[in-house]
Amino acid sequence: MTKPHRQIVAIMFTDVVGYSAWVQRNEAEALEMLKLHWALLRPVFGRFDGREIKTIGDAFLIEFPSALQAVRAGVEMQAALEKHNRDTEPDRHIRIRIGIHTGDVERVGKDMFGDGVNIASRIESLAPPGGICISEAVYAAVQNKIEVPFYSLGMQHLKNISQTVVVYCDRPAPGRKLSSQRSLAS
């Protein structure tokens, strides 16, 4: 049995928007689209030294050696899907949500566990379709290093996480004025 060890990494969770409904409508088509999703995204996160830990249904759990690589990969992943969606009929569009956090994880074999993984998963669920949400820890690490504006969503209470987490999103929250924008490039 592989001995567990701990490490701080950037953790990315992704999820395909509407996948369960797709499966309900047409299982074969949903699987075909899931395979296309894998084919479109795996090369992108690979270019940023992302390591796929596992797929969980329609979700990816990916680790990166730095927060900057994770955010850059997330931006390119969303861009790749936007390009795909421009070139296809609306019923074949693929949209994902992305959540990124840095944290301490425990490795057990090829898998990883810990609060960092759980927080990344909960942050992903806050992202709008086609969006990226990041924790304050990620924001602090990539601030002034990337040309993507992120907007504070403020303190968030995440399901089954005892501490609150400040979350930023690449899309403004509905009803929030653009003057509250905090760009990573400012």
Side-chain angles (χ1 to χ4, degrees):
M1 183 168 171
T2 306
K3 180 181 175 186
H5 69 281
R6 300 200 71 88
Q7 182 178 16
I8 295 175
V9 296
I11 305 145
M12 176 189 284
F13 248 98
T14 72
D15 185 60
V16 176
V17 176
Y19 183 73
S20 296
W22 222 340
V23 170
Q24 290 287 304
R25 283 191 309 274
N26 186 330
E27 246 180 44
E29 182 179 284
L31 181 56
E32 176 185 320
M33 295 307 292
L34 187 59
K35 288 178 182 178
L36 176 59
H37 156 259
W38 294 337
L40 288 168
L41 297 186
R42 281 182 170 137
V44 176
F45 59 74
R47 287 196 298 272
F48 294 91
D49 298 322
R51 186 173 78 85
E52 182 179 336
I53 302 301
K54 61 184 167 184
T55 58
I56 307 156
D58 61 315
F60 276 120
L61 171 57
I62 309 158
E63 74 166 308
F64 292 86
S66 78
L68 184 59
Q69 287 169 292
V71 172
R72 285 181 173 159
V75 169
E76 280 208 25
M77 289 163 68
Q78 293 292 25
L81 291 176
E82 285 175 23
K83 181 184 182 316
H84 162 79
N85 292 343
R86 277 193 307 270
D87 298 337
T88 60
E89 312 92 47
D91 64 335
R92 310 240 344 133
H93 285 185
I94 302 170
R95 298 176 75 197
I96 64 170
R97 292 180 174 89
I98 295 176
I100 304 171
H101 178 61
T102 56
D104 188 61
V105 298
E106 182 170 318
R107 296 188 185 286
V108 179
K110 293 181 180 183
D111 209 344
M112 65 183 183
F113 302 89
D115 276 349
V117 175
N118 296 334
I119 291 170
S121 169
R122 299 304 187 213
I123 289 172
E124 170 270 311
S125 67
L126 298 174
I132 302 168
C133 281
I134 61 176
S135 66
E136 186 171 40
V138 172
Y139 182 86
V142 301
Q143 189 174 8
N144 301 321
K145 294 181 178 89
I146 191 164
E147 293 290 326
V148 176
F150 274 72
Y151 307 84
S152 177
L153 300 180
M155 292 290 253
Q156 299 293 312
H157 297 277
L158 305 175
K159 180 180 175 186
N160 296 324
I161 304 295
S162 60
Q163 76 270 22
T164 57
V165 177
V166 176
V167 176
Y168 293 83
C169 188
D170 67 340
R171 317 269 167 100
R176 202 173 277 255
K177 295 180 181 181
L178 290 182
S179 62
S180 69
Q181 172 179 345
R182 294 178 66 188
S183 172
L184 293 180
S186 7

